[in-house]
Amino acid sequence: MNYTIKTAETDVYLTLLQLAEKYPVANEWLAQLPNWLATVKDKSRYAHAPFYQSLIERLPVVDNAQVDLNQPCITAAFDWQESEYKQTHALLKRLMPWRKGGFLLGRDDRQIHIDTEWRSDWKWDRVLPHISPLHGKRVLDVGGGSGYHGWRMAGAGASTVIVIDPSCLFYHQFMAIRHFVRDADRNDFGRNRVHYVPVPLEALPNPSLTSGQAGLFHTVFSMGVLYHRASPFEHLEQLYHQLAKGGELVLETLVIEGDATSVLVPSERYAQMNNVYFIPSVAALSLWLYKVGFVEVRCVDVDVTSTDEQRKTDWMDYQSLSDFLDPNDSSKTIEGYQRPTRAVMIAKRP
């Protein structure tokens, strides 16, 4: 048995303890951290939690991994026995579906390619040229899924990245990758760069309310989350309050064509998703951001999602984008709405 989860959870505690020496808001995180970490393991809440944890504990220990966080697939290259390779492949398969990635583990003919539903590197390539440099920065990744983009943020030089997502499955997917990355992402303070806290954004302390201070993070990412929120203004306000003064928001979300008054509210489902509430135009979204208090709002990219970027794979064998489009008109969803189109917005907290 390995101690990957325990070690990772200890490291996030020590990271927050270090931050609390200069930033009092980190004490509020520390006060709630034990409950957050206990909740994701609570069998009464997440029936599969003990099973997922057992999968991580059974992963083989590998040495001398060559880790690269700047490749399209997060890569940990190492040698292992055939039996370890087969065992790991079977264990990781039990953590399906894998949606954000991909990941490469091992080497040569004993390499596991976790080919996720999303080519998440494509989104990163659209985002990275437009954001402020991450070197030495504290970063929050909201709704980070398996943690893929968090690893890429560390690869871009971020000193501390905290990924948050309440999913029990995604938490354990992250821990599976952490197991093979081990401590290859250490920062100048001797701590891991990338951490995972299994909570939604609304659970985080709001320093503006509790201490009258600005937030902890130089950059906050919210990618693929806003349209799932029943109250988008609350989500934007919560993002605002997590930012330090002068900090940068990177917001990626579904948009539609139209002017500042154009917002789609799907009647039931959108691209077969039943939890899509509001899809604004770029102009409307810009207005929303200004109303919340952001400045220097700009749209830096608009991209129509392709079936090469989001697709069914051996590691996500459920339906995917091709199943959600009108079979007679691929410019529309199966419900008749505009095909998924995503914009990247950049904004600053003054």
Side-chain angles (χ1 to χ4, degrees), residues 24-64:
V25 66
N27 284 307
E28 299 177 45
W29 285 64
L30 283 166
Q32 298 188 57
L33 186 63
N35 181 60
W36 290 340
L37 297 179
T39 298
V40 79
K41 303 181 187 73
D42 184 354
K43 185 177 180 180
S44 66
R45 185 182 294 254
Y46 301 108
H48 289 92
F51 174 67
Y52 292 153
Q53 184 170 343
S54 73
L55 297 177
I56 307 305
E57 291 172 347
R58 291 158 57 195
L59 292 170
V61 176
V62 299
D63 296 313
N64 303 316

Side-chain angles (χ1 to χ4, degrees), residues 160-178:
T160 300
V161 180
I162 297 182
V163 180
I164 63 168
D165 196 304
S167 166
C168 179
L169 173 61
F170 296 159
Y171 180 72
H172 288 91
Q173 289 177 347
F174 171 84
M175 289 299 172
I177 303 305
R178 164 57 72 193

